[in-house]
Amino acid sequence: MNKEEYLAAQRNEAWREAVRKSKKNKERTDIPRVRMNELDPDYRSRNKEEVNTGLTAEQAVIEAQRCLDCPTPTCITGCPVEVNIPKFIKNIERGEFLEAAKALKETSALPAVCGRVCPQEKQCESKCFYTQKLGKEAVAIGYLERFAADYERESGNISIPEIKAKNGRKIAVVGSGPAGLSFSGDMAKYGYDVTVFEALHEIGGVLKYGIPEFRLPNNIVDVEINNLKKMGVNFITNCIVGKTISYEDLQDEGFEGIFVASGAGLPNFMNIKGENLIGVMSSNEYLTRVNLMDAANPESDTPILSGKSVAVIGGGNTAMDSVRTAKRLGAERAMIIYRRSEEEMPARLEEIKHAKEEGVEFMTLCNPIEYTGNERGRVTKMCVQKMQLGEADASGRRRPVPIEGATEEVSVDLVIVSVGVSPNPLIPSAFKGLEISKWGTIIVNQETMQSALNNVYAGGDIVRGGATVILAMGDGRKAAAAMHEYLNQK
């Protein structure tokens, strides 16, 4: 065979391989996206069992086969913690489930959590080739992430990421929510002695107090936290940095770097007439008391008010969590009151679907303008203003505009206000020298998450003012990499 014949044969083989791959990918794209297994709506709406029951191994392998193994995987660019998505999915396709879990842990400290609560449809899955180029449903990345993490946990063979030798340098973390946990995991990998200070009696922050068990069971969070403990992360509960211990105390105790992840636990209200009536509360108080204080139990030391006609004001995930919790606590009529249309709701489509299946009533294009109560001061009625959509506002959504003279009176005995949160003001006021925005958030360098105090970094809701779990985790990873570099240079 001469040179020309040899090169021609090579070209033909490459062409035949391209044809084989094209046919194989065509077969992959014809596989329909898997559907998550769920509990029956009527059954689950009366208890706190997790609604989604996960994929079977067979379902996971078939769904993993849909991944086209793109040369340039854009799904990774959509992930704030930069999980190597093709790597863990291809491990699932091969049946190497434990290897898939290890691949997730290379960048994510909370894979079982992220697989449940992250809005993948707006992040990694929105960048999937199926969505971008084929106009089809994306690979179910979130479902597969949950499957791999759950398989590892249930197998009992839980791996710990590779950790460098201890360097003897101490790092403090304020808050044990997703930003703090993600930061802690990465700093532990670098070899630092990490101590997390948590104000509450439970570790996990919003993962424990803000998300109900029917969406994120506490035992799942506990396993992730125990993994961090095995990596050497220390946790101190019932300790309020800024009160129990000061910034100066932390420095005196030898902490070279501090990461502030104290969240946004200050609820917003609408400042309308009757908001101070008994039976009107924030979603923060409602969910925290139910999730952390056993307040749904009538025998509890601090039982929460129950209602038969419950209105939740807002359209985000927290509003869905609140109204679905109310349904589980016996509400006969559970309503979402939202001033825009359903299309503008920021809640995940899955959460809206689940709420509807469980009998939640949606009153969209309605906005409460007044609450009235009985002689004992308990809320009994809500007056809502009918709205219509006008021009788009700064968020890109159409602005709700009142329809003159169009109001409706609704009977209620419990109102849960879920219209946003503000940053916890404690750290900004206790750490002298920080730069604070007009919204009360800590101003940081967006590339490094470093604040005006060189040894203080911050991330999550204390910087963003209210965002998703995965964005907070991304902040934690970014801050860990930047602090590690800063301390080494120092």
Side-chain angles (χ1 to χ4, degrees), residues 113-402:
V113 170
C114 293
R116 286 168 163 79
V117 303
C118 288
Q120 292 95 1
E121 67 277 6
K122 296 179 181 177
Q123 295 173 156
C124 55
E125 292 181 11
S126 73
K127 304 292 185 182
C128 179
F129 184 83
Y130 281 87
T131 304
Q132 293 285 318
K133 302 295 183 183
L134 301 181
K136 295 185 177 183
E137 289 186 290
V139 174
I141 298 169
Y143 294 172
L144 293 175
E145 180 178 21
R146 170 188 168 142
F147 170 80
D150 286 358
Y151 182 89
E152 183 192 51
R153 184 184 67 256
E154 291 163 8
S155 75
N157 296 313
I158 300 176
S159 65
I160 301 299
E162 183 179 344
I163 300 172
K164 293 182 179 179
K166 289 287 187 181
N167 57 28
R169 307 178 80 174
K170 296 171 63 177
I171 303 297
V173 182
V174 184
S176 66
L181 296 178
S182 179
F183 173 87
S184 300
D186 277 13
M187 292 303 277
K189 289 178 188 177
Y190 289 135
Y192 293 93
D193 290 326
V194 182
T195 300
V196 180
F197 297 90
E198 170 56 51
L200 298 177
H201 63 285
E202 286 274 358
I203 302 167
V206 69
L207 303 176
K208 281 286 188 72
Y209 69 74
I211 304 179
E213 290 220 63
F214 57 77
R215 196 152 74 90
L216 178 62
N218 284 343
N219 69 297
I220 301 295
V221 181
D222 288 337
V223 170
E224 307 278 49
I225 291 170
N226 285 335
N227 286 343
L228 290 170
K229 289 179 179 178
K230 291 175 183 177
M231 293 167 62
V233 178
N234 302 304
F235 291 91
I236 298 177
T237 56
N238 299 307
C239 182
I240 305 174
V241 175
K243 290 289 185 183
T244 312
I245 187 171
S246 69
Y247 170 58
E248 291 76 19
D249 291 334
L250 292 174
Q251 289 188 305
D252 291 342
E253 291 183 18
F255 289 99
E256 295 186 55
I258 301 169
F259 180 64
V260 179
S262 51
L266 192 64
N268 295 338
F269 283 91
M270 299 176 65
N271 297 318
I272 61 177
K273 188 175 180 181
E275 254 184 344
N276 60 342
L277 287 168
I278 299 169
V280 180
M281 69 182 72
S282 72
S283 56
N284 290 51
E285 178 187 356
Y286 186 68
L287 291 174
T288 300
R289 291 178 64 187
V290 171
N291 294 339
L292 275 191
M293 302 172 66
D294 193 32
N297 181 355
E299 304 301 317
S300 167
D301 291 337
T302 56
I304 201 163
L305 287 173
S306 61
K308 295 300 181 184
S309 183
V310 181
V312 177
I313 318 302
N317 289 326
T318 304
M320 299 303 151
D321 287 342
S322 299
V323 77
R324 294 172 68 198
T325 296
K327 190 74 178 173
R328 284 159 172 77
L329 297 187
E332 296 172 359
R333 187 184 188 191
M335 299 166 278
I336 283 286
I337 315 295
Y338 184 58
R339 61 181 184 156
R340 289 183 166 97
S341 70
E342 186 175 318
E343 287 69 31
E344 279 79 29
M345 279 188 174
R348 297 187 68 186
L349 295 178
E350 182 180 70
E351 299 308 311
I352 295 171
K353 167 184 170 291
H354 285 166
K356 287 183 174 180
E357 289 173 347
E358 292 164 10
V360 171
E361 180 181 341
F362 281 66
M363 293 182 64
T364 55
L365 292 171
C366 289
N367 201 37
I369 55 176
E370 183 180 350
Y371 305 112
T372 55
N374 57 24
E375 65 279 1
R376 297 187 302 277
R378 175 77 183 261
V379 65
T380 56
K381 292 180 181 178
M382 169 181 64
C383 181
V384 297
Q385 169 72 58
K386 299 294 183 69
M387 313 292 282
Q388 61 186 354
L389 296 179
E391 298 298 320
D393 61 14
S395 71
R397 294 177 296 173
R398 294 172 64 189
R399 186 186 302 276
V401 179

Side-chain angles (χ1 to χ4, degrees), residues 88 90-101 151:
F88 95 79
K90 289 303 168 183
N91 276 316
I92 292 177
E93 185 179 345
R94 292 188 291 268
E96 297 174 355
F97 304 146
L98 293 177
E99 290 301 314
Y151 182 89

